[in-house]
Each structure stands twice: as structure tokens, then as C-alpha cells.
Amino acid sequence: MFYALSAMNPGFKFNDVDVLADRNNLRVLLEFVQGKANGPFRLDLYTMFSTLIIVRNESKWWKHADGKSYGCNFEKFFTRPAAGMEDATSHYRAIKYPMGPLNVVVRFEADAYDDGVKNDDLTQFESTIVSGGLAERPIFRYGAPMRVLQKGHVVPMAQMVELKTKAHYPAKGSSLVNCQDQLWFGRTSLLYTGPCHEGTGLINRIKCEDATERVKKWEDSNQESLRKLVSLLAFLRYFMQQQRTRAIVLVREGKTGPLTLRSMETRDLNLGSAEFMNFWRREGHHGPGGGFRGQRGGRGYNTAPRGRGYGHTGRGGGYETRGRGRGHDRGGFGG
């Protein structure tokens, strides 16, 4: 993401960004505060200056299909790559928006875009890129293992599409795909669903939906959960700012149970390099000033003997912050 940012928007600064995370990480934490049994999972937490960075840490990134979903093949056979992008394997986008009192940058994978959708609501940055502004910028070259190639064109957010398949049962009629939280965190309004026959994957039709209204209803009915999520994020950010460490592990060890903060023995996130830290620096500021660094020996913060950490044991998986965090329970969450 930082390499792409260096090419597309090198002047961007994270100074006012409170949280940087993948969409899935926020969904996982939302399910926790909703009291759902979604463990076990591990999230690595880092801070760069005043920004909390959440990184997923899993032993397996790829999972075998369970035979009940045909999402990958649906995307493969019902979409086509743009000219010059035939070798692209995936498309990621990072967007910035307020979540209650927090400014967040959310990175997510976009399935497709519909260039037949009219869009008159380009942002100033999108307008500059679409009109050819990017072509006038220099080509950035980096050493191995990362190399940036400037290809394709910028697609407006209004054309982004989330693709889903859903088993179709004629006797039960059609039902909505339950992915409102995914659409909400990714600020995606277009949802294209392929109702498929279970066992064969046969798709006879595609349902094209503008999900704006039902995502808004989901938002209205989940205000309490969203407040809890923001309180949790604010607490984690405040907690790390009070410690000498800049890296800890957030883990839910069982399917249910508390969240625990543990020390981090190793540092494998390359956020300390000068080229990335520049995204936080202000004019005339050259010192690290709270950059990515930990305690001597790299053991990080241990909240209890033998790394037992801080646990939350409230009912329903809810999470309440203390002290300053309480203020984040007020106010609603708009798009």
C-alpha cells in the first residue's frame, strides 16, 4: 500500500489518521463486540507516531473451498480484466473516512467495477487522475523485492462492485446476501449476486443491486455495536500510546472468550524505514518522534506475568474503555 501511495499520491500524510487497518480486521473486531463466537484470531498492533496500525497474523492465508461457495469462479467467468491488466491478480484500494470521532484509513480488496454505471461524483483526486494527471508524474522505481508499475486507470468508488454467490432454493424464494458490514466498511454500494444451485454451481441469472438503502438500515440498527467498536479502537490506541512499546499482539485464544494483549517477541513489519515514515512527517520535522520502535530487546509490553495480558470478560463480547475512551460512546455513525 505504501509503495502504491508513493506513486499515486506521494504528498499524502497520515498525521491526522487515528487507525489504519484492513477491512477484515475491523469486521473481526466488530463481531467480537457484538458477542459473536469468531475466534481464535490474532491481530498484530503497531503505532507509527499517533496512528494505530492493525495487521492480521494467520498461519494460513489460503483455505480450500468447502464446496458450498463458488465465489472465485463467479468472479473469474463473469468479469474480464481491463486492457493491459490481464496479469493482475487482485485489486486493493485504501480509503479514508471518519468513524465517529476517529479518522480511519481502510484497505480492502475490490472484486470488480462496472464501467456502465454513470458517475458524476468524482472526487478532486479522482478527477485529476482520470483526466491524465497521473501520466505526467515520474515513474517510481524501487529495488527488490517490490517494484511499482504504473498501468491501468483509476476507477471511481461509485463503480466499485462487491461480488457474491448464494445458494438458491426455489421453494424458499430469493433472499438477501448478508454482507452489509463488508459493504459498510468498504463504502461500496453496488452488490452483484449470482444465485447458484447447490452442488452444481449453476448460475442462471445475476442480481444487480444498489445496496445503499439496506446498508443504511444496517448502520442505523447497529449504532451500539459501532460505538463499542470505536471505543475498543480508541482504547487500544490510547493504551499503546501510554506504553514504551510500539508493537503488541491482540489475541482471542478460543472460539469465545476475552481479548488479551500480549508482548511481541519479534518485529517483522517494515514500517520503520525512512520512505514510509515520510508519510507522517511534517515540513521541517526530521526526528523519529514516536516512530516505530520498541523497548530494548524487542520484548514489547507485557501486561501481566508470563504474558497473560489484559483480558475483557464482560458478557456478550462487549468492550468498554476506561477514562478518556468513554467519550467515544456518544454520537451516531453516518456514512
Side-chain angles (χ1 to χ4, degrees):
M1 185 195 73
F2 288 109
Y3 281 117
L5 192 60
S6 297
M8 298 184 66
N9 195 4
F12 182 81
K13 299 296 181 183
F14 283 86
N15 296 327
D16 65 339
V17 175
D18 300 305
V19 179
L20 168 61
D22 279 348
R23 175 177 61 183
N24 187 67
N25 298 338
L26 298 180
R27 295 177 67 199
V28 166
L29 293 177
L30 177 65
E31 289 179 347
F32 168 77
V33 300
Q34 289 175 329
K36 297 181 180 179
N38 66 342
F41 61 80
R42 167 180 167 169
L43 299 175
D44 292 346
L45 308 182
Y46 303 87
T47 53
M48 176 68 81
F49 295 88
S50 61
T51 304
L52 172 66
I53 302 172
I54 307 176
V55 180
R56 182 175 60 176
N57 192 323
E58 294 183 356
S59 59
K60 293 183 179 180
W61 289 95
W62 301 98
K63 297 180 181 179
H64 292 288
D66 56 8
K68 298 180 180 179
S69 174
Y70 302 93
C72 291
N73 283 332
F74 178 52
E75 180 177 337
K76 176 181 177 180
F77 289 105
F78 285 84
T79 64
R80 58 179 174 81
M85 303 298 293
E86 291 80 7
D87 294 332
T89 58
S90 56
H91 178 85
Y92 287 87
R93 176 157 294 205
I95 56 177
K96 177 184 176 183
Y97 55 83
M99 188 185 299
L102 300 178
N103 286 324
V104 300
V105 169
V106 179
R107 190 190 74 150
F108 65 98
E109 182 179 11
D111 294 333
Y113 72 96
D114 188 343
D115 53 7
V117 175
K118 293 183 179 181
N119 177 53
D120 298 323
D121 190 24
L122 287 175
T123 66
Q124 182 178 357
F125 175 66
E126 288 175 343
S127 299
T128 301
I129 301 272
V130 172
S131 63
L134 182 62
E136 300 174 0
R137 294 180 179 175
I139 296 177
F140 290 79
R141 292 183 174 87
Y142 298 90
M146 191 71 67
R147 193 158 57 106
V148 175
L149 302 175
Q150 291 179 286
K151 302 177 69 174
H153 65 280
V154 172
V155 177
M157 275 298 298
Q159 294 182 348
M160 286 293 164
V161 176
E162 187 69 31
L163 299 177
K164 294 290 184 182
T165 58
K166 182 176 178 61
H168 176 59
Y169 302 98
K172 298 181 179 179
S174 61
S175 58
L176 298 176
V177 178
N178 187 19
C179 61
Q180 288 91 325
D181 61 333
Q182 189 173 355
L183 299 174
W184 191 86
F185 283 116
R187 295 301 190 261
T188 305
S189 58
L190 299 180
L191 174 63
Y192 292 0
T193 307
C196 59
H197 292 271
E198 188 176 14
T200 66
L202 178 64
I203 295 177
N204 294 320
R205 60 185 177 87
I206 298 177
K207 180 180 180 182
C208 300
E209 176 187 0
D210 184 341
T212 302
E213 289 301 320
R214 69 177 174 109
V215 171
K216 183 62 172 64
K217 291 180 181 179
W218 177 90
E219 174 188 285
D220 293 339
S221 62
N222 284 274
Q223 288 291 302
E224 181 180 358
S225 296
L226 292 171
R227 291 190 184 99
K228 288 182 178 181
L229 172 62
V230 169
S231 293
L232 172 57
L233 295 173
F235 169 79
L236 293 173
R237 178 172 173 266
Y238 173 78
F239 178 86
M240 294 188 67
Q241 287 176 336
Q242 304 309 304
Q243 316 306 322
R244 293 178 59 191
T245 183
R246 296 294 174 180
I248 60 175
V249 174
L250 181 68
V251 62
R252 192 178 200 183
E253 297 183 343
K255 192 172 183 179
T256 60
L259 287 180
T260 305
L261 294 175
R262 297 188 179 277
S263 60
M264 184 179 294
E265 300 294 337
T266 61
R267 304 291 205 284
D268 57 358
L269 188 66
N270 188 25
L271 275 178
S273 58
E275 57 194 311
F276 295 156
M277 290 180 65
N278 283 333
F279 287 113
W280 277 266
R281 287 178 176 166
R282 294 179 175 88
E283 291 294 332
H285 179 73
H286 301 290
F292 178 66
R293 56 191 178 129
Q295 291 178 312
R296 182 177 300 175
R299 291 184 58 83
Y301 182 79
N302 194 349
T303 55
R306 304 180 66 179
R308 294 181 61 186
Y310 179 92
H312 169 74
T313 56
R315 286 189 176 182
Y319 201 109
E320 294 183 2
T321 62
R322 301 171 184 172
R324 297 183 185 181
R326 290 178 181 171
H328 296 304
D329 283 336
R330 304 187 180 98
F333 294 83

